[in-house]
Amino acid sequence: MPLDFRGSSASDVFREFIEDTKESENYVRVIIDYSIESAVIGGLICKALREFEIGFELINDLLEIPLDATRQFLINTKVGKGGSALALMSSSINTVRKTSLGYVIESPILEEKLLDMISEYVIVPREAKYMLASSILARHTPRILRGELSQSEEEFINKLEDENLVKKVKGPMIIGWGYLQPEIAVRYSVDLLIPRYFMRDVSGELSSDVIAKELGVSRENVMGTNYVIKQDWCIKDLYYLAYTMMCIVDEEGIEGLVAAVLNPSTMVWHALKMYEYLGKLRVAIDEYLAGNWENKGKFKILHIKDPPPLSMLTRALQGIGKIRHDEVVANEAGGKVSVPLQVLTRKDREELRTKAVIEKGYAVLPSADALSKVST
């Protein structure tokens, strides 16, 4: 029976969509955009579909979408074609509305809306809740530029604290602050990243005043909230998890992060890879600070044979004020230029899509000349 959507909740709409899909014995296409938020939400939707024994196909919106009658979940994208759709869209308001193709659920915190919809049917593991929380934090990286969480975002993480999953630690916004010795925390912290300390031996006092002086900002600018994972897990900090997921998207493509959501045990391997990436990040930052790069519009082109994940490098250089918040680091090696997709605007991704080949989390071009023409 068709749902009278007026006054219906997101859970009502989700339930009807799933029941209709099961009755039709159709499979579902899950279409996501190139963001951590969409990948984590899409992964949990795929997990729910698997529990319902509904076949599904995952596809990102930079690929060619088949035009057919397949039912669709759309996550922060309007690219879907053909069959009945349920769209989850980030918005400033909470609403459920009907369109010619199906329903649209809008929310400022899609992560919370998703939990409300699927918790009735699926046991959401703690690791998935950490990923949902970190997908929120990823929108606020680097912290020194993006500011504090909104009230709604803070309330979502507060619920994890109420479940005894997360502990808040006030202090310098240094990954690891609160459970590592300060000299160890600053050595491995990507956010805030202090070039003189990063991946180097550190000695001497490391107070908030010293950290602020190193970054050339006031003490108030480096103070904030760190979120420590209380579970005995391979990752202990929600911001570190956010950067780990950022690296997964670059190195394995957006589908790689969805796979990690479906199988959180793989995060152990990804956590180990992060140590390798941090070493490469130090080398890349040193190269950039030495002036070994070229400018193509809003893109800064490095020439490193074995670069770190470029989204993490972009956020790191933004955080220390070496590039603007809208500038992006690309890398030229082996006759190819790689541009990280997830730190681009949707408009830029669409523009590069027509000029580049998509390889994992990158748009790959034969030369950097095309980048100077990408809109600013």
Side-chain angles (χ1 to χ4, degrees):
M1 178 181 295
L3 179 71
D4 180 2
F5 77 95
R6 291 166 296 182
S8 299
S9 68
S11 297
D12 293 332
V13 171
F14 179 81
R15 185 183 304 111
E16 186 209 26
F17 187 85
I18 291 297
E19 290 175 355
D20 286 354
T21 302
K22 291 174 71 175
E23 288 177 7
S24 66
E25 297 184 350
N26 205 340
Y27 81 101
V28 175
R29 182 173 292 126
V30 181
I31 305 174
I32 60 177
D33 80 343
Y34 243 88
S35 69
I36 290 174
E37 176 187 47
S38 290
V40 175
I41 290 173
L44 285 173
I45 286 175
C46 291
K47 178 179 174 64
L49 293 172
R50 193 163 60 184
E51 292 289 328
F52 292 128
E53 297 184 344
I54 296 173
F56 62 86
E57 171 192 30
L58 178 82
I59 191 167
N60 74 71
D61 65 359
L62 293 180
L63 301 178
E64 188 64 34
I65 309 295
L67 179 59
D68 55 29
T70 303
R71 298 171 72 83
Q72 298 165 114
F73 270 108
L74 309 177
I75 318 297
N76 279 332
T77 182
K78 300 178 181 179
V79 173
K81 301 177 182 178
S84 176
L86 174 56
L88 305 180
M89 306 292 291
S90 296
S91 172
S92 60
I93 58 174
N94 267 306
T95 186
V96 177
R97 56 187 175 86
K98 199 173 189 309
T99 69
S100 59
L101 287 180
Y103 296 101
V104 177
I105 297 170
E106 295 177 305
S107 174
I109 310 293
L110 280 182
E111 293 85 353
E112 182 173 38
K113 192 66 67 178
L114 176 76
L115 279 182
D116 291 342
M117 291 191 301
I118 70 172
S119 294
E120 180 181 345
Y121 310 99
V122 178
I123 297 174
V124 180
R126 291 176 296 184
E127 294 86 354
K129 292 182 180 180
Y130 295 144
M131 291 183 187
L132 285 169
S134 289
S135 74
I136 292 173
L137 299 184
R139 301 197 285 267
H140 293 270
T141 57
R143 285 184 276 181
I144 200 166
L145 296 182
R146 309 289 177 173
E148 292 294 319
L149 307 185
S150 70
Q151 181 178 343
S152 298
E153 292 169 332
E154 191 70 44
E155 288 172 354
F156 179 86
I157 296 181
N158 286 345
K159 291 179 181 179
L160 299 191
E161 188 177 32
D162 292 341
E163 295 177 34
N164 202 35
L165 298 179
V166 170
K167 178 177 72 173
K168 294 181 182 178
V169 177
K170 299 291 185 179
M173 294 184 292
I174 299 288
I175 290 176
W177 199 271
Y179 65 93
L180 293 175
Q181 292 296 319
E183 64 272 16
I184 301 299
V186 296
R187 181 177 183 180
Y188 294 107
S189 179
V190 181
D191 191 350
L192 298 168
L193 184 147
I194 306 171
R196 190 161 74 91
Y197 298 151
F198 183 64
M199 299 303 289
R200 292 174 168 88
D201 292 332
V202 180
S203 61
E205 181 189 8
L206 285 171
S207 66
S208 54
D209 291 322
V210 170
I211 291 169
K213 184 177 180 180
E214 283 289 335
L215 292 171
V217 298
S218 69
R219 179 181 182 276
E220 288 72 24
N221 284 342
V222 303
M223 301 300 287
T225 305
N226 300 295
Y227 302 96
V228 178
I229 294 171
K230 297 184 73 173
Q231 178 188 2
D232 186 14
W233 196 38
C234 59
I235 294 174
K236 291 296 293 180
D237 186 293
L238 286 183
Y239 273 105
Y240 192 75
L241 176 56
Y243 278 92
T244 301
M245 295 195 297
M246 189 183 297
C247 292
I248 293 172
V249 173
D250 274 7
E251 298 303 300
E252 299 192 11
I254 199 73
E255 298 83 359
L257 181 52
V258 173
V261 174
L262 287 169
N263 185 8
S265 65
T266 61
M267 290 303 297
V268 174
W269 183 84
H270 293 301
L272 292 173
K273 288 290 291 183
M274 278 296 288
Y275 289 105
E276 175 187 332
Y277 297 150
L278 294 179
K280 293 179 180 179
L281 180 62
R282 191 201 73 181
V283 172
I285 289 174
D286 288 348
E287 281 290 301
Y288 190 90
L289 296 180
N292 298 326
W293 52 276
E294 60 180 303
N295 196 60
K296 292 290 183 180
K298 64 179 177 183
F299 296 92
K300 310 301 180 184
I301 315 298
L302 285 168
H303 302 272
I304 300 175
K305 184 177 180 181
D306 191 15
L310 296 179
S311 294
M312 179 168 63
L313 176 58
T314 295
R315 292 292 185 241
L317 290 174
Q318 289 171 347
I320 60 176
K322 297 303 178 182
I323 62 175
R324 298 194 315 265
H325 74 279
D326 62 336
E327 292 179 322
V328 175
V329 179
N331 189 68
E332 185 170 23
K336 299 191 297 185
V337 177
S338 298
V339 183
L341 289 164
Q342 63 181 308
V343 292
L344 299 177
T345 64
R346 185 184 298 274
K347 180 180 178 182
D348 286 348
R349 286 198 297 265
E350 287 294 326
E351 192 170 345
L352 279 178
R353 177 188 184 187
T354 63
K355 305 173 182 178
V357 175
I358 306 302
E359 294 184 4
K360 298 182 178 179
Y362 296 96
V364 179
L365 301 105
S367 78
D369 293 336
L371 291 177
S372 59
K373 302 174 184 177
V374 175
S375 59
T376 59

